[in-house]
Amino acid sequence: CIAKDLLWKKYINDISGFIAISEYVKNRHAQLGIPKEKITVLYHFCEDKPRIIARQNNEKYVVYMGRLSQEKGITTLIKAMQENPQVILKIMGKGPIEEELKTFVLKNKMSNIQFLGYKTGEEKNNIIGNAMALIAPSEWEEPFGRIAIEAYQVGTPVIASAIGGLKELVKSGVTGFLFDAGNVQQLENHIKYMSMKSDSELNIMRENCVRLAEEKFTEEAYFENFCSAMKLENK
């Protein structure tokens, strides 16, 4: 064990720098012994240009996109929708607890839940872009949370659990809201609050989301930050 530990430390010392995809990942690796000053955070980016998708109707809905599994917090989200019958939840994705969720929805007569299956491309973008908010209720420590920046890319605010890398991506009250992972009441309140916002208030948040995407989550921003981190000339 001592020999392995010494070898690992020598390996770390021979590397001049590390890239982490979030401050959360940076801190976790620093806890393992990597010098913090050697770690640079470079967020992921989206290839498409950020833009606000013109809303096609006045339907009030929120959207979830991702794996239908317990650690993703989808059960917490559906329970939060029980007290928000005036808001529709559109669920994009498949997973091991899909039938369990559908049974719960049917048993509780929740007509405001729609299971859309797996969606991609512009169909996916239009569903997210027309939503009041995207919900990212994960209950495990997401290293980053790419779905949040995909929402910003089309001008949609994000309501996310304050865990892992997700909590870095949401500016509370500006581009969305944070809640304690697994807290049904807090999530319920945030969804209700978003549903009561006027169109002008929602548009301000949508503009904030696109602005943040332009500043931090574009290919150009990534390349500029990468060159700066690697001390390369940006040509």
Side-chain angles (χ1 to χ4, degrees), residues 102-194:
K102 287 180 177 179
T103 299
F104 181 89
V105 166
L106 188 63
K107 181 179 178 180
N108 289 278
K109 300 178 181 179
M110 298 177 69
S111 59
N112 60 332
I113 308 291
Q114 298 176 5
F115 292 88
L116 306 183
Y118 185 69
K119 301 293 182 181
T120 60
E122 277 306 296
E123 184 180 16
K124 176 199 76 174
N125 288 336
N126 284 328
I127 293 170
I128 296 174
N130 278 277
M132 293 186 298
L134 177 136
I135 316 295
S138 192
E139 291 173 14
W140 79 289
E141 295 180 326
E142 300 272 2
F144 180 66
R146 182 181 170 86
I147 185 58
I149 68 171
E150 289 187 25
Y152 292 159
Q153 207 74 6
V154 291
T156 298
V158 174
I159 300 174
S161 51
I163 192 170
L166 274 172
K167 63 184 177 184
E168 300 170 36
L169 304 179
V170 178
K171 293 185 176 181
S172 194
V174 179
T175 64
F177 297 96
L178 292 169
F179 69 98
D180 295 334
N183 192 314
V184 174
Q185 184 69 58
Q186 286 183 9
L187 179 53
E188 174 191 312
N189 290 341
H190 285 321
I191 293 170
K192 188 173 294 183
Y193 180 71
M194 287 295 291

Side-chain angles (χ1 to χ4, degrees), residues 83-95:
E83 299 302 320
N84 281 297
Q86 78 285 2
V87 180
I88 293 168
L89 167 63
K90 298 191 177 188
I91 299 173
M92 291 189 285
K94 309 288 285 183

Side-chain angles (χ1 to χ4, degrees), residues 43-132:
Y43 290 132
H44 287 316
F45 63 88
C46 290
E47 293 80 6
D48 296 334
K49 182 177 175 57
R51 82 278 194 198
I52 293 177
I53 291 181
R55 297 192 70 187
Q56 297 171 352
N57 54 57
N58 293 320
E59 185 181 27
K60 286 193 171 183
Y61 72 88
V62 293
V63 63
Y64 169 92
M65 187 175 80
R67 180 174 167 80
L68 304 186
S69 54
Q70 203 65 46
E71 78 280 359
K72 289 292 188 178
I74 182 65
T75 301
T76 295
L77 172 55
I78 287 180
K79 288 179 180 178
M81 296 304 298
Q82 286 184 288
E83 299 302 320
N84 281 297
Q86 78 285 2
V87 180
I88 293 168
L89 167 63
K90 298 191 177 188
I91 299 173
M92 291 189 285
K94 309 288 285 183
I97 64 170
E98 181 176 357
E99 292 308 315
E100 177 185 326
L101 296 173
K102 287 180 177 179
T103 299
F104 181 89
V105 166
L106 188 63
K107 181 179 178 180
N108 289 278
K109 300 178 181 179
M110 298 177 69
S111 59
N112 60 332
I113 308 291
Q114 298 176 5
F115 292 88
L116 306 183
Y118 185 69
K119 301 293 182 181
T120 60
E122 277 306 296
E123 184 180 16
K124 176 199 76 174
N125 288 336
N126 284 328
I127 293 170
I128 296 174
N130 278 277
M132 293 186 298

